Amino acid sequence: MRFNRIFVIVLDSLGIGPMADSARFDDTGADTLGHISETVEHLDIPNLQRLGLANLKALKQVKPAEHPEGYFMAMNEASNGKDTMTGHWEMMGIRTDKPFITFTEHGFPKELIDELEKRCGRKIIGNKAASGTEILEELGEQEVNEGKLIVYTSADSVLQICGNEETMGLETLYHYCEIARELTMRDEWRVGRVIARPYVGKKRGEFKRTSNRHDYALKPTGPTALNALKDAGYDVISVGKINDIFVGEGITESNHSDSSVHGMQQTIDIAKRDFKGLCFTNLVDFDALWGHRRNPVGYGEEIEKFDKKLGELLPLLREDDLLILTADHGNDPTYKGTDHTREQVPFIAYSPSDTESGKLDTSDTFAVIGATIADNFGVKMPEGTIGTSILDQIK
């Protein structure tokens, strides 16, 4: 075992250019990081630069490092999808061939809405694909004043329910989401996630979503590298929505994050502790606040905030630590619509004990991450998983 602690940080949606099959997903030309760089005036990311990000991906504002300190490569997704769950599950060994159902064009079927109304005792409004902030402005007053229930979807395979923390209450909102999760286990309604979207405020212009979001995801379709690590007695510490994505499977400790900056601070605090195993972090704000809302400037500023926190984390890494930075899909903030985009994602690996660095061959799957982690800890990957370790290439 070379590394006692491995940190995997997912910059949610930070794609680096279209995959070869992007046209099949109607994503020809999407390039999240590249188009952000072309759009914003500045991109101050000295820590990502020193690790080799600009060596992997040409950036207008950032020169390639003369002597990059990390290993880096592009990764393609083997699974048939471009959503959060599919990407994260693949990192840990699961290939998803049947994509999750979406209800973007026409909303949810009347039969599902009728049953959800009956079980929740509230009239449902919305039932369409929409931005979370826009639908609150449109329907928030009606939900608060008339006791209705806002249900909506997006380009993802999700059923989202809004609830006012002050008038509906968090526990009631979570209960409604549990009902929705039960109903959407049926094959014809089977969405990847039911998401509770709590907010505060009483009238238009004042509504604000809170950090008490909760995802009710499907369980992974089989055991992953996380299960293998936990079963072997190693720590598997989750930060952000990792615990929701894997429905607690293979997790030994879960930490809820209020923001991506908070998630990085939690990761920094964990790096100051002794543990043996994996710290797995998801930073969702890139995707939720900037990608889906098509805001390249905000996205660029979020990358800069991350880089500053990365500068705090790097000095805490020990000789027997490994850091892996990656993403789960793209979400080009300059692209049409508000959907995720089918893109390659970055893989950057760094350890203070590295004697070499540089570019690795492009991977045909995200699953190299889980396979490499399992290999390091001498743990066998579960039967049916995919991925090949590249541990021997990190020297």
Side-chain angles (χ1 to χ4, degrees):
M1 182 172 58
R2 178 177 169 190
F3 303 111
N4 275 320
R5 306 189 305 176
I6 296 179
F7 297 82
V8 174
I9 301 177
V10 180
L11 284 68
D12 199 308
S13 83
L14 191 67
I16 56 171
M19 284 180 51
D21 66 354
S22 62
R24 186 164 61 89
F25 293 81
D26 197 23
D27 289 331
T28 303
D31 184 353
T32 300
L33 182 56
H35 288 155
I36 290 169
S37 177
E38 291 174 6
T39 303
V40 301
E41 293 184 3
H42 57 84
L43 195 61
D44 185 17
I45 51 172
N47 296 296
L48 286 166
Q49 180 184 30
R50 64 181 264 211
L51 294 184
L53 180 61
N55 298 73
L56 173 62
K57 176 69 178 177
L59 301 173
K60 183 178 71 174
Q61 304 88 342
V62 186
K63 293 181 179 180
E66 187 173 349
H67 300 291
E69 298 178 25
Y71 290 91
F72 46 89
M73 66 179 176
M75 297 194 301
N76 291 297
E77 186 166 13
S79 296
N80 184 23
K82 54 177 181 176
D83 61 89
T84 296
M85 287 169 55
T86 299
H88 283 78
W89 288 5
E90 182 167 319
M91 289 178 206
M92 294 299 130
I94 291 180
R95 174 173 175 148
T96 302
D97 291 314
K98 183 179 179 181
F100 297 110
I101 298 174
T102 60
F103 295 91
T104 309
E105 292 188 14
H106 306 293
F108 299 103
K110 182 178 184 300
E111 295 79 7
L112 171 56
I113 293 298
D114 289 347
E115 186 63 24
L116 192 55
E117 286 182 338
K118 178 182 176 182
R119 296 278 298 274
C120 295
R122 290 179 184 248
K123 178 70 175 177
I124 287 174
I125 53 178
N127 190 25
K128 60 183 179 180
S131 155
T133 51
E134 290 174 356
I135 205 162
L136 280 182
E137 287 301 296
E138 178 188 351
L139 300 176
E141 287 185 358
Q142 192 176 353
E143 178 169 88
V144 170
N145 297 329
E146 300 177 17
K148 302 290 178 62
L149 188 64
I150 299 172
V151 173
Y152 69 108
T153 189
S154 72
D156 293 342
S157 178
V158 294
L159 184 153
Q160 303 180 87
I161 303 180
C162 296
N164 190 291
E165 292 191 8
E166 300 158 311
T167 58
M168 181 184 295
L170 269 177
E171 293 307 314
T172 300
L173 172 62
Y174 293 161
H175 177 60
Y176 293 158
C177 289
E178 289 166 2
I179 294 170
R181 178 70 279 179
E182 178 189 339
L183 293 175
T184 54
M185 293 304 291
R186 285 175 50 173
D187 283 345
E188 62 268 35
W189 300 340
R190 196 177 178 87
V191 295
R193 287 175 293 162
V194 171
I195 305 177
R197 292 289 193 178
Y199 66 98
V200 292
K202 297 293 175 61
K203 60 183 181 180
R204 290 185 181 90
E206 296 181 358
F207 295 125
K208 183 179 180 181
R209 295 202 297 193
T210 75
S211 62
N212 292 317
R213 160 183 171 163
H214 185 60
D215 292 32
Y216 299 79
L218 293 173
K219 282 191 176 185
T221 52
T224 70
L226 304 184
N227 299 98
L229 290 171
K230 180 180 179 181
D231 291 348
Y234 292 103
D235 297 308
V236 182
I237 303 169
S238 74
V239 177
K241 64 178 185 178
I242 295 294
N243 189 66
D244 287 345
I245 293 168
F246 289 89
V247 198
E249 289 289 310
I251 307 295
T252 62
E253 175 188 326
S254 175
N255 298 274
H256 171 78
S257 302
D258 295 333
S259 66
S260 288
V261 171
H262 181 222
M264 276 302 292
Q265 185 59 53
Q266 290 171 304
T267 305
I268 290 166
D269 292 340
I270 291 167
K272 297 174 182 178
R273 297 163 31 188
D274 289 328
F275 70 91
K276 195 168 188 176
L278 172 66
C279 175
F280 195 4
T281 298
N282 173 277
L283 305 177
V284 73
D285 286 354
F286 299 98
D287 187 49
L289 296 185
W290 314 117
H292 284 303
R293 298 183 189 179
R294 293 302 184 250
N295 186 336
V297 174
Y299 204 132
E301 291 172 349
E302 193 72 45
I303 297 172
E304 292 183 332
K305 291 177 187 177
F306 167 77
D307 193 84
K308 289 181 181 179
K309 301 304 287 186
L310 178 61
E312 296 178 34
L313 175 63
L314 290 172
L316 299 174
L317 297 180
R318 305 169 184 174
E319 288 292 306
D320 57 359
D321 286 346
L322 176 66
L323 171 67
I324 297 174
L325 306 178
T326 190
D328 52 344
H329 50 71
N331 197 344
D332 187 342
T334 72
Y335 207 62
K336 60 186 179 182
T338 60
D339 193 5
H340 294 155
T341 42
R342 176 80 165 178
E343 296 183 47
Q344 293 183 322
V345 301
F347 172 97
I348 298 176
Y350 167 76
S351 173
S353 64
D354 287 343
T355 58
E356 299 179 18
S357 61
K359 191 171 184 178
L360 303 174
D361 291 338
T362 298
S363 172
D364 59 2
T365 174
F366 301 172
V368 294
I369 295 176
T372 299
I373 295 168
D375 186 16
N376 175 76
F377 291 107
V379 172
K380 184 179 179 181
M381 285 289 288
E383 185 176 351
T385 53
I386 62 171
T388 303
S389 172
I390 59 169
L391 186 65
D392 60 351
Q393 299 180 51
I394 301 173
K395 303 174 182 179

